[in-house]
């Protein structure tokens, strides 16, 4: 499988348990080409990010000031 998107866009795989609102995006695996990071969502919220330098960010504020960097 190949997911192709533009160099300034993101591509993703979405897991749904409904047909509207947040239920359409309960689980997500997404790659952001503009900033070169991969994101993983559970229950509609980003829980893990892998940056272009290989840093793994986890927690309630992934990509912000409240994450744990491993």
């Amino acid at each position: 499988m190949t997911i192709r998107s533009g160099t300034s866009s993101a591509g993703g795989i979405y897991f749904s348990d409904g047909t509207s609102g947040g239920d359409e995006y309960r689980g997500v695996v997404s790659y952001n080409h503009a900033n070169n990071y991969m994101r993983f969502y559970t229950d509609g919220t980003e829980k893990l990010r892998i940056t272009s330098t290989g840093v793994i960010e986890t927690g309630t504020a992934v990509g912000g000031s409240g994450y744990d960097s491993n």
Side-chain angles (χ1 to χ4, degrees):
M1 170 182 10
T2 299
I3 299 170
R4 186 164 289 125
S5 51
T7 58
S8 62
S9 302
I13 301 170
Y14 301 90
F15 300 85
S16 172
D17 64 358
T19 58
S20 64
D23 290 338
E24 290 191 273
Y25 309 103
R26 285 290 158 214
V28 179
V29 177
S30 175
Y31 189 82
N32 181 298
H33 293 283
N35 296 303
N36 293 309
Y37 58 77
M38 182 165 277
R39 302 182 304 172
F40 297 85
Y41 285 60
T42 60
D43 197 23
T45 305
E46 182 178 359
K47 300 294 195 298
L48 175 81
R49 182 181 294 193
I50 304 171
T51 69
S52 62
T53 60
V55 173
I56 297 172
E57 301 173 350
T58 62
T60 57
V62 175
S65 60
Y67 65 85
D68 298 322
S69 182
N70 300 310

